[in-house]
Amino acid sequence: MKRASVLVAIFTLAISMLLPATALADSATHTYQFHLELPNISEASNGDRVAVTGTGTFSVHPDSVRGGGTFTHTSASGSVIAGAWTATELLEYQSYGCGVVLGNPAPKNFCGGALKMRIVGMPNGTNLQIEAILTIFCIVGPNPPNSHDDPSGEGIHLVVPGVANFNKILEGMNIYIQQS
């Protein structure tokens, strides 16, 4: 995981001169892309794991979210359920700021924060639509919190009410790119 964080820092530093800076007031409308290109893996207390990928956009002032991706739920006994998810509602976005990765300069439109959204999961081969809450943590920015489950702080929590709480981050890498 440390290698992945170092690669992100090197990549962002290398392209930081190529992207324009964007400065907006906190009360302004902000639009972002979110990218979970590599599986973000979290574990529930019973040993079940979920891996989530996806992309989309979200805005604050007014709040909205669009996007989706895939999930793979692997039970502690080894059975696997895979499917797709779709974002349905932005619940909260806590910004950590932009333009800094692990204390190093980054493109000004690379941002971090905790993005919390309501989603619907649709397991392959079924007509089920399972409501859940997905929180994506991205530690880009000058103000990420000091405490997360893994050393990098990147990853996801997925709560499926009454079913499972995947709240122990095992792996994660994602980014928010500010569009406006």
Side-chain angles (χ1 to χ4, degrees), residues 5 16 25 32 46 54 60 62 64 67 70 73-74 89 110 116 123 139-140 154 156-157 162 167:
S5 296
S16 65
Y32 304 86
N46 66 355
V60 292
S64 68
T70 64
H73 172 209
T74 305
E89 179 184 4
F110 279 27
K116 187 175 194 175
I139 62 165
V140 172
E154 298 257 332
I156 59 124
H157 287 175
N167 62 358

Side-chain angles (χ1 to χ4, degrees), residues 57-147:
T57 59
F58 68 98
S59 296
V60 292
H61 307 300
D63 293 351
S64 68
V65 66
R66 290 180 27 187
T70 64
F71 70 88
T72 303
H73 172 209
T74 305
S75 73
S77 64
S79 63
V80 175
I81 299 171
W85 64 269
T86 301
T88 59
E89 179 184 4
L90 177 66
L91 298 174
E92 180 180 8
Y93 176 60
Q94 177 187 2
S95 175
Y96 300 161
C98 303
V100 177
V101 176
L102 302 172
N104 298 304
K108 298 293 184 195
N109 65 340
F110 279 27
C111 301
L115 171 62
K116 187 175 194 175
M117 63 184 127
R118 194 173 311 279
I119 67 167
V120 173
M122 298 148 294
N124 294 337
T126 74
N127 292 324
L128 293 175
Q129 294 193 355
I130 302 167
E131 293 187 11
I133 296 172
L134 174 64
T135 305
I136 304 167
F137 299 98
C138 178
I139 62 165
V140 172
N143 301 311
N146 292 327
S147 61

Side-chain angles (χ1 to χ4, degrees), residues 27-42:
S27 62
T29 297
H30 297 270
T31 302
Y32 304 86
Q33 295 176 353
F34 65 86
H35 298 270
L36 293 88
E37 294 177 3
L38 300 176
N40 282 249
I41 302 169
S42 288

